[in-house]
């Protein structure tokens, strides 16, 4: 079965600093990979996705992520963090089965931004 | 506006009571999903449905039931058999089938608490 590990439960960065959130997955085939963001008490918003092709993918709000097959990783990055980026971030791997598209989520990384 | 509507936003359950969470989408998506979110555990799949009148159990279906009588609606019932129902419940929808357009979009969630 597929699994996703987000090793950092909490991360604090200063506004304007760069950010990298780690995500490692376990999956037997080429995965579909996603990053979602969640503000307190809200649903999830898709930041970016990887299905195939270019391993560096661009998303909304200035985020990017790089798929590294050799490291089973899909880390999320942003060059300069804004205070509004404070939220919880979830990495997910998608498995398409005969029954549909199932997502397995990591446990999330809570981002705090210091002004 | 197209989207996913979950209601109510907050719900309270008494001991031995069944409660139903509503999820409606106007995105014309065939597939719908229910997730449970607990602090520090990410999202876990309860049930999903790829087509009207058909649904499959996810990873934590015990104590829950669903129906899919209409394409746009996928209500979740939390039964009295679910002994620890306090959580944040998220509904999602997507197109069916493989490919880069198979992205899950989320509602704003329902927070269920036990009285």
């Amino acid at each position: 079965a597929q699994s996703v590990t987000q090793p950092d439960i909490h991360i604090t960065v200063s506004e304007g600093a760069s950010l990298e959130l780690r995500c490692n997955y376990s999956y037997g085939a080429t995965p579909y990979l996603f990053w979602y963001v969640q503000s307190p008490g809200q649903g999830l918003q898709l930041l970016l996705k990887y299905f195939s092709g270019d391993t560096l993918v661009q998303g909304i709000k200035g985020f990017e992520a790089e798929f590294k097959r050799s490291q089973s990783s899909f880390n999320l990055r942003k060059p300069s963090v804004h205070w509004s980026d404070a939220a919880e971030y979830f990495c997910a791997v998608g498995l398409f089965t005969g029954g549909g598209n199932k997502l397995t989520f990591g446990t999330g990384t809570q981002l705090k931004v210091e002004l | 506006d197209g989207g996913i509507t979950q209601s109510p936003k907050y719900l309270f359950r008494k001991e031995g009571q069944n409660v139903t969470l509503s999820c409606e989408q106007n995105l014309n998506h065939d597939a719908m999903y229910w997730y449970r979110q607990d602090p520090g555990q990410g999202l876990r799949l309860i049930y999903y449905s790829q087509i009207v009148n058909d649904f499959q159990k996810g990873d934590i279906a015990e104590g829950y039931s669903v129906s899919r009588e209409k394409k746009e609606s996928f209500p979740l019932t939390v039964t009295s058999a679910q002994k620890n129902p306090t959580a944040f419940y998220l509904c999602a929808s997507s197109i069916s089938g493989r490919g880069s357009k198979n992205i899950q979009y989320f509602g704003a969630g329902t927070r269920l608490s036990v009285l």
Side-chain angles (χ1 to χ4, degrees):
Chain A
Q2 70 270 31
S3 65
V4 178
T5 302
Q6 292 181 249
D8 303 306
I9 299 174
H10 300 280
I11 283 185
T12 300
V13 299
S14 299
E15 189 177 35
S18 64
L19 171 70
E20 183 169 29
L21 302 182
R22 295 183 290 166
C23 173
N24 293 98
Y25 66 89
S26 173
Y27 186 57
T30 300
Y32 296 163
L33 294 161
F34 306 84
W35 275 100
Y36 284 87
V37 60
Q38 183 181 36
S39 297
Q42 297 298 314
L44 274 66
Q45 181 183 22
L46 180 69
L47 284 176
L48 47 77
K49 63 186 187 296
Y50 171 79
F51 280 77
S52 64
D54 194 344
T55 56
L56 183 64
V57 294
Q58 303 296 321
I60 62 171
K61 304 184 180 185
F63 286 93
E64 66 178 26
E66 187 171 11
F67 169 60
K68 293 185 177 180
R69 185 188 302 274
S70 61
Q71 299 178 20
S72 297
S73 68
F74 189 56
N75 294 349
L76 182 71
R77 300 194 295 247
K78 187 171 185 178
S80 177
V81 170
H82 188 262
W83 64 266
S84 61
D85 292 325
E88 190 156 23
Y89 292 79
F90 292 94
C91 181
V93 59
L95 168 65
F96 184 83
T97 71
N101 183 28
K102 297 175 63 176
L103 289 181
T104 298
F105 286 85
T107 52
T109 298
Q110 187 73 47
L111 174 65
K112 180 180 177 182
V113 180
E114 292 182 332
L115 300 177
Chain B
D1 288 339
I4 301 170
T5 301
Q6 291 188 241
S7 63
K9 189 172 179 64
Y10 299 97
L11 186 59
F12 297 91
R13 194 190 90 166
K14 297 179 181 178
E15 290 290 334
Q17 185 182 42
N18 293 353
V19 292
T20 297
L21 286 61
S22 171
C23 179
E24 303 275 334
Q25 55 96 2
N26 60 5
L27 299 169
N28 200 33
H29 286 165
D30 287 310
M32 297 187 74
Y33 312 80
W34 274 106
Y35 292 90
R36 170 178 172 141
Q37 184 178 21
D38 296 281
Q41 295 193 46
L43 280 73
R44 292 179 290 169
L45 183 63
I46 305 173
Y47 269 98
Y48 63 106
S49 168
Q50 296 298 305
I51 196 169
V52 173
N53 292 324
D54 188 41
F55 47 84
Q56 288 80 40
K57 293 182 178 180
D59 300 319
I60 56 164
E62 185 175 352
Y64 300 96
S65 66
V66 293
S67 63
R68 187 85 186 277
E69 297 176 0
K70 298 185 296 182
K71 183 176 182 177
E72 59 270 20
S73 178
F74 191 40
L76 173 74
T77 296
V78 184
T79 74
S80 57
Q82 173 50 246
K83 298 305 180 187
N84 184 24
T86 297
F88 191 51
Y89 291 86
L90 287 160
C91 178
S93 70
S94 74
I95 65 170
S96 287
R98 297 179 183 269
S100 62
K101 293 185 179 180
N102 196 324
I103 298 167
Q104 292 187 24
Y105 296 90
F106 285 80
T110 292
R111 186 164 299 281
L112 176 61
S113 302
V114 176
L115 291 176

